[in-house]
Amino acid sequence: MILKQLFLVHFRNYENARFDLHPAGNLIIAPNGYGKTNLLEAIAYCGIGKSVHFHRDEYLCEQGYDFFSIRGLFQTDNELGLEIQISWQKGKKLLKINGNPVRQLSRIYEGVKVIYSAPEDMNLIDGSPRFRRQYFDLALSQIYPEYISLLRNYLHIVEQRNNLLKKEYTYAEKHSWDLHFCEFLFPVLQYRQKYLNLVNQALKEQYPHISEQVKDISIQYKVNGIEDYPNSIDKLIRILEELEKREKNYQRTLVGPHLDDYEFLLNQNNLKSYGSQGQKRITVIILKLIQASLIENLTSIKPIMLFDDVFAELDQLHTHRIKEFLDFHYQIFIASPNEQITSEWNELTRLSLAENKQ
């Protein structure tokens, strides 16, 4: 799919802007503070319905305003038109698809696929488990939209179960919530493991040639709180009974996908501890390339690729290999303050930020 036009009203530093975008993508070259990242964030918002940086919606409004609007005109891979409009005002968000109001924000995951890459992606390796869970849950949702409601229901049950642990309860009450907890836990785990298996297979078979530095990368799922999950609800119920005293003391659920983690391994060693900054940087970019390939293969939709100043610290060889791998198969937007980026990506049309502000 491609994004043909983008209209912004009171979004970040854009009071009223229109962008006509090239089917192959655009280069966005400007000094820091001119709105490059804001533009890419707006494009990403059309695909996930929230800030890709996990900012609250009120912080996305232009200073002095309490509302914003984003409207994207897309062309699908079968050359049909698709209009996504999302507006926010005073805590209320409205989504329209092709002019029709849609109550479920997750509906945009079905039609719009966007992958955002930025320097802070290094947190996928060096950051907290929460950052990794957020990334993989989003990647999963882009391929399996039904995972969104499944995860939401699971997290709601965790919240209710935590509330129960903060007060006096009967055995029947806790057993009922434990059953609900287990019934949603296993499907969440199955989706996560299915996606992780696909990623590891791609890491092994398709991407080693991009970099000699990261030829043996894999990702391992890390269970928190217990050694591993049992293979049945009954066995997990018994584990929860054994944990009851500790959970009552901490007043929260101490095991489950909401606490689990992903560990990146290089030659079977923890990449966070043993990898160089260069190895980590190229690994997270390869992960985004895999994400794009899986989206296309499993949904038949080509995602839009957004690169926000991620090539600045990559050497020319790795930049060239990534470009060769992409081969302009997707619509690509690259933002950078560095004029030299144009020499490697000279096929992309340069987009002026100032000329599009109305």
Side-chain angles (χ1 to χ4, degrees):
M1 71 183 315
I2 61 172
L3 176 60
K4 300 175 67 177
Q5 291 181 313
L6 184 70
F7 301 84
L8 305 179
V9 178
H10 299 312
F11 183 84
R12 293 292 199 179
N13 67 320
Y14 293 101
E15 180 179 4
N16 193 345
R18 166 181 168 168
F19 297 93
D20 296 306
L21 306 166
H22 195 277
N26 291 97
L27 278 179
I28 308 163
I29 312 295
N32 292 329
Y34 272 62
K36 302 184 303 296
T37 294
N38 295 342
L39 175 58
L40 295 190
E41 185 173 20
I43 296 174
Y45 203 102
C46 290
I48 64 176
K50 59 184 178 181
S51 167
V52 74
H53 299 293
F54 304 106
H55 296 144
R56 294 170 63 91
D57 284 318
E58 55 262 38
Y59 300 141
L60 304 181
C61 296
E62 183 185 9
Q63 190 171 3
Y65 293 88
D66 61 1
F67 73 97
F68 68 79
S69 173
I70 301 173
R71 183 163 66 98
L73 302 182
F74 297 84
Q75 180 178 298
T76 64
D77 295 326
N78 54 10
E79 299 187 352
L80 296 177
L82 175 64
E83 179 181 353
I84 300 293
Q85 182 173 1
I86 307 176
S87 57
W88 181 92
Q89 184 170 19
K90 296 181 179 179
K92 294 184 178 180
K93 189 179 296 185
L94 175 64
L95 166 65
K96 290 184 179 179
I97 299 179
N98 292 330
N100 299 313
V102 176
R103 294 186 61 183
Q104 291 182 318
L105 193 64
S106 58
R107 283 281 306 278
I108 59 176
Y109 284 79
E110 299 173 10
V112 181
K113 314 293 183 181
V114 178
I115 297 175
Y116 179 84
S117 297
E120 58 263 31
D121 288 340
M122 293 285 282
N123 287 326
L124 281 171
I125 296 170
D126 292 332
S128 69
R130 181 182 180 184
F131 196 93
R132 286 182 285 277
R133 287 195 300 269
Q134 287 175 329
Y135 166 74
F136 280 101
D137 284 337
L138 173 60
L140 261 165
S141 300
Q142 289 181 309
I143 294 176
Y144 310 109
E146 67 274 15
Y147 177 76
I148 301 171
S149 59
L150 175 64
L151 181 64
R152 185 184 297 122
N153 288 332
Y154 166 78
L155 294 175
H156 174 72
I157 291 169
V158 170
E159 181 181 6
Q160 295 301 311
R161 193 172 181 275
N162 289 347
N163 291 335
L164 183 74
L165 292 166
K166 295 174 183 177
K167 62 183 182 181
E168 295 300 320
Y169 53 80
T170 65
Y171 170 82
E173 286 177 316
K174 182 174 183 299
H175 185 70
S176 175
W177 280 112
D178 285 353
L179 278 175
H180 286 307
F181 175 76
C182 295
E183 288 167 356
F184 280 91
L185 178 147
F186 283 108
V188 170
L189 288 178
Q190 289 168 359
Y191 271 103
R192 287 187 177 182
Q193 195 58 60
K194 177 165 60 173
Y195 185 77
L196 194 56
N197 289 342
L198 292 171
V199 171
N200 279 322
Q201 182 179 355
L203 282 169
K204 182 178 180 181
E205 297 177 357
Q206 301 176 34
Y207 296 84
H209 70 280
I210 289 182
S211 175
E212 297 294 325
Q213 300 179 28
V214 292
K215 292 186 71 172
D216 187 14
I217 285 285
S218 61
I219 306 172
Q220 179 177 330
Y221 193 80
K222 301 287 288 185
V223 177
N224 184 76
I226 56 176
E227 184 175 345
D228 200 359
Y229 292 107
N231 56 9
S232 71
I233 289 179
D234 290 341
K235 291 179 180 179
L236 185 54
I237 289 289
R238 287 197 290 272
I239 290 175
L240 294 176
E241 291 172 350
E242 294 170 1
L243 288 171
E244 181 175 3
K245 186 175 180 180
R246 287 183 59 210
E247 289 191 326
K248 182 67 175 174
N249 184 45
Y250 284 97
Q251 298 185 338
R252 59 186 177 89
T253 303
L254 296 179
V255 65
H258 63 292
L259 297 172
D260 293 342
D261 196 4
Y262 298 82
E263 182 182 16
F264 288 76
L265 300 174
L266 175 61
N267 301 319
Q268 299 304 310
N269 294 314
N270 186 299
L271 183 61
K272 179 177 181 179
S273 301
Y274 294 96
S276 68
Q277 291 298 101
Q279 288 171 322
K280 294 174 184 178
R281 191 170 291 108
I282 193 65
T283 295
V284 295
I285 292 177
I286 288 174
L287 185 64
K288 297 300 178 76
L289 299 181
I290 291 173
Q291 182 183 353
S293 177
L294 290 176
I295 287 174
E296 182 181 6
N297 291 339
L298 297 175
T299 71
S300 299
I301 299 174
K302 295 179 181 179
I304 297 169
M305 305 292 290
L306 310 176
F307 295 100
D308 189 2
D309 201 21
V310 298
F311 298 109
E313 298 183 20
L314 278 184
D315 58 51
Q316 189 173 7
L317 174 62
H318 283 108
T319 299
H320 186 69
R321 286 183 176 178
I322 291 168
K323 180 185 175 184
E324 282 186 328
F325 194 91
L326 288 169
D327 194 28
F328 296 99
H329 185 64
Y330 308 109
Q331 189 181 31
I332 301 170
F333 295 96
I334 300 175
S336 176
N338 189 350
E339 289 281 350
Q340 294 180 351
I341 198 77
T342 57
S343 63
E344 183 63 49
W345 300 90
N346 53 19
E347 297 92 342
L348 292 178
T349 302
R350 186 161 174 168
L351 181 69
S352 171
L353 297 180
E355 291 177 2
N356 291 278
K357 292 183 178 180
Q358 299 177 348

